[in-house]
Amino acid sequence: MSDEPRASYRALARLDAWLNRVYTSRHNPLYHSGAIAAALLVVLIATGIYLLLFYRIGAPHASVSRIGAQPWTGRWIRSLHRFASDAVIVATAVHAFRMYAQRRTWGPRALAWVSGVFLLGAFLACGWTGYVLVWDAHAQLLAIQGARFLDVLPIFGEPIGRSFVGERPVPSAFFFVNLFAHIALPIGLGVLLWVHVARVARAVLLPARGVLWGSLAALTLLAVLWPAPLLPAADLLRTGDRVPLDWFFGFWLPVAQRLPAWSAWALGPLVVGLCVAVPWLTRPKRARLPAPATVNERACTGCEQCVRDCPYEAIEMVPRADGRAGLVARVKIELCTSCGICIGSCPPMAIGPLGVTARDQIAEVRAFVADRKPGSRDVVIVGCAWSAARAEAERCGAAYLGVPCVGAMHSSTVELLLRGGAGGVLVVGCAEHDGRTREGVTWTAARLFGGRKAELKARVDRNRVRLVQASLGEGVALHEAVRAFADQIGALAARQGDGEPEVDLVALCRARRIADAEPTGEVA
Amino acid sequence: MTVPRIAVLALVTTLGASALGWLSRAPYDPPGGATGVLRLSWRLRGEKEEHCRKRTPAELEALPIHMRTPEVCEGRLVAYRLAVRIDDEPAAETLVAPAGARGDRPIYVLREVPLPPGPHRVRVRFARATSAHADRHTALELDTRIEAEPGAIELITIDPETGRLVHRAGAHAPASPDREH
């Protein structure tokens, strides 16, 4: 496999960068796609309960028509119910593509991927039952096609399709069963959602407030200004009329209607099987598998900070086996994603994936300082591969030290850089909600400025340390942050009587064109 | 946040929401819109073909006393052949077997045949398929003229009162369970 980023990753990075410019990384809906889908499920339940109050299985189309005729509430609530379900499909598709492009699909994350596939399937089925309940021309298409598929199975005495031939009215029992399924399936969705986030500590099921209310406002406005249409009641003795189709739930119809019914049972399992197999198809070869974290039991003090910080609940405390009293950390290999967050959580540097432990970082920083010899007016940018840090450092000619994730950076790295002569250290993380390593920026902020273990020692001047979030596409904001920080470091150096800087970072940055950051790497 | 940036944000959000709204109702032309459909659908309790024989005295002796019926019959529901001719051209011909794993359930016919717009002579025949005496049994037959329209479904079914095949045009058949209109 080449080290070049994949096309899917490059496409996602460009899209992220573009939307970061529009919404900022904090409110980029692409970063919140999974949480948006989960939050909209609550909207669907709330609006669904309202619709349930007025729906009648004996008069499905007439009752929905009456809901639409309610002057203040019914029409837009029904439309919001529909648009929210469409938005769930979009958010889920974006979320899945994001996980695929970032290769966050295999190993410990396979459970989340597979349960996600079934979540989507259950949600589509739930949507199918919901559309059929309306019993308009759109519902007729879905019902007849569904019956066509079911009738291939040799288990029904009377073909299901005979319910829709127009010989007699569709029995109310059909709508009762659909209504029951439409209400029961969300319970299954809840169970699947629980499995989906089972391996994640502190699962985020609500997006940032701005994203949540912004999404709700946009969908509500859409529902009020451009409500979902209610088509004429189903006419089982008409076929082939043009209908407004909900493509989010009916995307399969154009293909399915043109293929023999048995093909659904051949293609369906194939598609589902391929989706379920993604974790195993995308798993790197053994030689390229990132090393899971390991614990140096002699150095571990049993403080349990790594257990608290691990975003995947992959670390547990067990009794020591070396005769000493107390507990020692142990990594559950099957749950470890090699994110490295534990590196920064351990004061004695006793835990981390082999090859990128805190001790390796210290050695790297020593070499970096010896090579670059940063001066008292120099700002060293320490940035993760997913942030705009590298591009900004190259643009401004600032010294750059790359880390896999700022959450995997031990605070001693910052102290060592300052002791090595650097005037300031600017730590640049990616968007918190991008979630490649989850919680990296949060823990880093707490470690650098909040006293969380492994904390930056009190002797370090906090005026010389700054943490910013700047994802791809946020080069302009980062540029401003770099300028401001360089000004501050310059002022500190001037107060301490240092001479002029060898390179005027601020002037250099101003002179260069601020270009957009490009993706710099990908997840191993 | 600057005014131009807010404008861009609002524009992108509006475009996204509009795309969602449009894809939620984008027009779709199902196949078969330009033609009509002849739909054949009925349920029939098929005739049974039985073979009876007398039990031998030895067989009767082996049975419990309350089960000693002198005659034993084994039978099965027979299959039917459905033949459709439109304008004297064969449009469909198929064997319809009784439903159920053991073939002991009623026969369900559900078949659709494209029907180009315009007047047609439609002849349907539904008769026992396998019997040496098929000509002795009455077949269900219909010979009718149908004016087909694009998108309309012409239903051929069995009238429950007369037991005969009948043609029901779209306007005569109830399709929606709505009882409140």
Side-chain angles (χ1 to χ4, degrees):
Chain A
M1 194 163 72
S2 160
D3 284 335
E4 282 293 306
R6 290 173 305 280
S8 58
Y9 174 77
R10 287 198 304 271
L12 179 67
R14 287 207 178 90
L15 203 56
D16 277 347
W18 187 73
L19 284 180
N20 281 341
R21 262 176 252 136
V22 176
Y23 291 101
T24 73
S25 61
R26 182 172 163 71
H27 294 114
N28 184 344
L30 297 187
Y31 291 151
H32 297 269
S33 49
I36 288 175
L40 287 179
L41 288 179
V42 178
V43 176
L44 287 173
I45 290 170
T47 51
I49 288 171
Y50 179 86
L51 297 174
L52 186 62
L53 296 175
F54 299 98
Y55 183 76
R56 299 285 175 270
I57 55 173
H61 188 268
S63 59
V64 175
S65 180
R66 271 202 303 274
I67 292 170
Q70 292 172 2
W72 293 107
T73 49
R75 192 173 187 193
W76 70 265
I77 287 181
R78 178 181 160 256
S79 299
L80 180 60
H81 191 71
R82 172 154 163 180
F83 294 144
S85 61
D86 291 338
V88 169
I89 296 291
V90 175
T92 307
V94 169
H95 185 59
F97 177 68
R98 178 164 214 90
M99 297 300 118
Y100 172 79
Q102 295 177 346
R103 288 295 188 266
R104 290 157 64 192
T105 49
W106 54 273
R109 288 156 166 152
L111 178 68
W113 178 272
V114 173
S115 58
V117 170
F118 287 104
L119 256 175
L120 179 59
F123 189 76
L124 285 171
C126 192
W128 187 92
T129 57
Y131 274 103
V132 168
L133 284 175
V134 180
W135 204 233
D136 59 1
H138 186 268
Q140 180 183 338
L141 271 181
L142 292 174
I144 289 175
Q145 200 56 40
R148 195 169 155 248
F149 289 153
L150 288 175
D151 283 341
V152 174
L153 303 176
I155 56 174
F156 300 105
E158 179 170 3
I160 304 289
R162 283 216 348 113
S163 301
F164 310 114
V165 294
E167 195 177 349
R168 58 185 184 272
V170 177
S172 293
F174 171 74
F175 297 99
F176 175 78
V177 169
N178 268 292
L179 184 63
F180 179 80
H182 195 59
I183 294 169
L185 276 169
I187 296 170
L189 287 175
V191 174
L192 280 169
L193 189 60
W194 175 73
V195 174
H196 190 62
V197 297
R199 287 189 173 174
V200 172
R202 299 169 291 279
V204 179
L205 293 176
L206 284 178
R209 201 173 296 170
V211 178
L212 176 64
W213 293 114
S215 308
L216 275 179
L219 290 173
T220 307
L221 271 176
L222 180 65
V224 171
L225 300 176
W226 198 18
L230 176 62
L231 307 184
D235 179 352
L236 292 171
L237 292 180
R238 291 288 307 173
T239 185
D241 293 335
R242 168 178 280 209
V243 290
L245 180 68
D246 186 335
W247 290 83
F248 298 105
F249 285 89
F251 60 89
W252 48 274
L253 261 178
V255 177
Q257 284 196 311
R258 288 164 176 83
L259 290 177
W262 57 263
S263 63
W265 298 103
L267 290 176
L270 187 69
V271 172
V272 173
L274 269 177
C275 291
V276 167
V278 162
W280 292 271
L281 296 176
T282 54
R283 185 184 176 87
K285 292 194 171 104
R286 188 175 293 273
R288 295 179 64 91
L289 279 174
T294 52
V295 178
N296 178 348
E297 294 195 7
R298 282 173 56 195
C300 176
T301 60
C303 72
E304 301 187 17
Q305 188 61 45
C306 54
V307 177
R308 285 189 282 274
D309 285 4
C310 178
Y312 301 100
E313 296 181 339
I315 306 171
E316 61 184 344
M317 300 304 293
V318 296
R320 305 193 76 102
D322 56 4
R324 291 154 64 190
L327 301 172
V328 68
R330 188 172 69 186
V331 176
K332 293 183 257 186
I333 303 287
E334 71 280 7
L335 299 182
C336 179
T337 64
S338 311
C339 70
I341 293 289
C342 52
I343 299 171
S345 69
C346 186
M349 304 183 186
I351 189 168
L354 285 177
V356 289
T357 62
R359 291 169 199 277
D360 295 315
Q361 283 179 17
I362 298 300
E364 193 183 342
V365 169
R366 286 203 173 109
F368 177 84
V369 168
D371 178 44
R372 301 294 294 259
K373 297 184 178 57
S376 63
R377 286 175 177 268
D378 286 342
V379 170
V380 175
I381 297 177
V382 181
C384 85
W386 319 109
S387 70
R390 186 171 173 178
E392 176 63 15
E394 285 173 0
R395 187 180 304 135
C396 295
Y400 171 75
L401 181 66
V403 289
C405 167
V406 292
M409 177 196 71
H410 200 278
S411 57
S412 296
T413 300
V414 174
E415 185 178 358
L416 205 57
L417 282 168
L418 292 172
R419 280 167 54 190
V425 176
L426 182 71
V427 182
V428 184
C430 62
E432 181 78 354
H433 300 284
D434 188 10
R436 286 183 178 89
T437 50
R438 301 188 69 234
E439 302 176 331
V441 177
T442 304
W443 292 160
T444 305
R447 289 165 190 163
L448 295 181
F449 304 107
R452 189 184 183 89
K453 289 180 189 172
E455 73 278 13
L456 184 63
K457 296 291 178 276
R459 59 181 173 254
V460 177
D461 182 1
R462 297 306 199 269
N463 290 319
R464 295 184 180 278
V465 184
R466 186 163 293 178
L467 171 66
V468 295
Q469 280 185 55
S471 288
L472 303 175
E474 293 188 303
V476 174
L478 178 59
H479 183 72
E480 292 303 317
V482 171
R483 270 179 51 186
F485 190 54
D487 282 343
Q488 181 180 323
I489 297 303
L492 280 173
R495 271 210 297 275
Q496 290 174 358
D498 285 1
E500 285 299 308
E502 289 174 11
V503 178
D504 186 345
L505 186 66
V506 177
L508 186 66
C509 288
R510 281 185 184 132
R512 295 190 184 195
R513 180 178 167 273
I514 299 170
D516 295 327
E518 288 297 322
T520 54
E522 61 177 314
V523 174
Chain B
M1 195 175 261
T2 59
V3 172
R5 186 159 184 178
I6 292 172
V8 171
L9 190 150
L11 181 69
V12 171
T13 307
T14 305
L15 283 176
S18 304
L20 184 104
W22 186 77
L23 281 170
S24 182
R25 71 191 84 200
Y28 169 61
D29 290 307
T35 183
V37 171
L38 181 68
R39 178 182 286 163
L40 304 122
S41 171
W42 59 82
R43 172 188 187 277
L44 183 74
R45 185 77 205 175
E47 293 172 29
K48 198 167 186 179
E49 207 168 54
E50 282 192 327
H51 302 282
C52 299
R53 66 176 178 82
K54 300 274 187 203
R55 281 201 170 106
T56 62
E59 281 178 322
L60 287 170
E61 190 68 28
L63 289 171
I65 195 159
H66 65 284
M67 293 178 68
R68 289 177 186 171
T69 50
E71 195 175 60
V72 60
C73 294
E74 287 176 355
R76 61 184 178 84
L77 295 172
V78 297
Y80 279 66
R81 185 168 297 281
L82 171 69
V84 182
R85 294 181 75 85
I86 298 174
D87 299 330
D88 294 326
E89 293 291 325
E93 180 153 358
T94 185
L95 194 69
V96 188
R102 290 186 297 179
D104 58 351
R105 308 288 301 154
I107 288 173
Y108 295 105
V109 172
L110 178 57
R111 192 173 174 91
E112 291 187 344
V113 180
L115 198 60
H120 299 283
R121 181 185 181 195
V122 174
R123 283 190 292 167
V124 181
R125 178 179 165 79
F126 191 64
R128 287 177 65 138
T130 53
S131 171
H133 313 290
D135 51 327
R136 288 189 206 163
H137 301 275
T138 312
L140 288 169
E141 286 183 299
L142 178 72
D143 188 347
T144 184
R145 298 202 72 80
I146 291 176
E147 185 74 31
E149 292 173 17
I153 294 175
E154 307 298 332
L155 177 65
I156 307 288
T157 187
I158 293 179
D159 183 81
E161 290 180 4
T162 63
R164 294 171 182 274
L165 287 178
V166 290
H167 166 226
R168 282 188 180 149
H172 302 293
S176 167
D178 290 331
R179 294 190 290 264
E180 300 182 14
H181 281 305

